[in-house]
Amino acid sequence: MLAKNGRLGWEEYAVSLAKAASLRSEDPYVKVGACVLRNDWSVAGVGYNGAPADIEIDWSNRDERRKRVIHAEINALRYVKPNEGHTIACTLLPCSACVQTIAAHGIKHILYEDVYELDDFALELCTEFKIGLHSLKEFTQKKLDNPAEGSYAGEHKSLEVING
């Protein structure tokens, strides 16, 4: 959604960066991207789902490749220091293992675009770890319904929390 000035809102910008990162994925079944942002919206890290460095995966066997793929969120956090990031934007709702890693890095908000597989434990962990879980679609609709709310650039207040 474009702001009044014709620019993407911060949330859409973050997910757009995650989408761009996903284009690097070798996975023929699902391409996932993630982008870690600091409090000032500067980029701390980006990542996509794929094989570990210098490792070849047999992409033809979907079930076997799933056991070996490094998730986009983990790759995005690879060079991020603990408590450096505030928000992680993902093309897909993170799994419970990724939520645990996100929490370990002190990230307070997860912004996602779509749900690939609903992981109820991931939702439970977000509540337990006090991580705001935000659907871009719901957030965008809320902004359309109430454009005065704007973006959450300073205090991160504009995201629609869907857990707890």
Side-chain angles (χ1 to χ4, degrees):
M1 178 174 155
L2 296 179
K4 287 182 183 178
N5 61 7
R7 296 168 65 186
L8 283 176
W10 286 113
E11 297 82 6
E12 294 85 3
Y13 169 72
V15 172
S16 294
L17 292 174
K19 284 183 185 178
S22 76
L23 297 174
R24 288 275 307 151
S25 175
E26 305 170 77
D27 191 327
Y29 300 101
V30 61
K31 297 183 182 305
V32 184
C35 177
V36 180
L37 301 167
R38 298 179 186 95
N39 268 332
D40 66 358
W41 293 100
S42 62
V43 177
V46 294
Y48 54 90
N49 61 320
D54 301 321
I55 302 294
E56 290 294 322
I57 290 180
D58 177 6
W59 295 104
S60 66
N61 186 328
R62 186 173 188 184
D63 291 332
E64 286 301 311
R65 67 97 182 142
R66 291 180 81 180
K67 298 174 188 175
R68 293 165 174 79
V69 168
I70 307 300
H71 290 193
E73 299 88 343
I74 304 305
N75 281 326
L77 291 164
R78 187 173 177 184
Y79 299 111
V80 175
K81 297 177 211 160
N83 299 309
E84 180 181 3
H86 187 276
T87 300
I88 186 166
C90 309
T91 56
L92 295 177
L93 179 68
C95 70
S96 56
C98 287
V99 169
Q100 290 172 317
T101 304
I102 290 165
H105 276 78
I107 291 175
K108 303 298 183 201
H109 294 277
I110 298 171
L111 175 63
Y112 68 95
E113 183 171 51
D114 290 312
V115 176
Y116 175 62
E117 291 181 1
L118 186 59
D119 182 343
D120 288 332
F121 189 55
L123 302 178
E124 185 179 323
L125 287 175
C126 285
T127 300
E128 184 178 328
F129 296 155
K130 296 179 177 49
I131 296 173
L133 186 58
H134 317 282
S135 163
L136 181 65
K137 289 176 186 173
E138 290 178 19
F139 172 76
T140 302
Q141 186 59 51
K142 183 179 178 185
K143 278 177 51 175
L144 287 171
D145 294 342
N146 188 2
E149 290 206 5
S151 184
Y152 79 126
E155 298 179 32
H156 302 273
K157 286 183 180 176
S158 66
L159 288 178
E160 176 72 19
V161 179
I162 66 166
N163 63 317

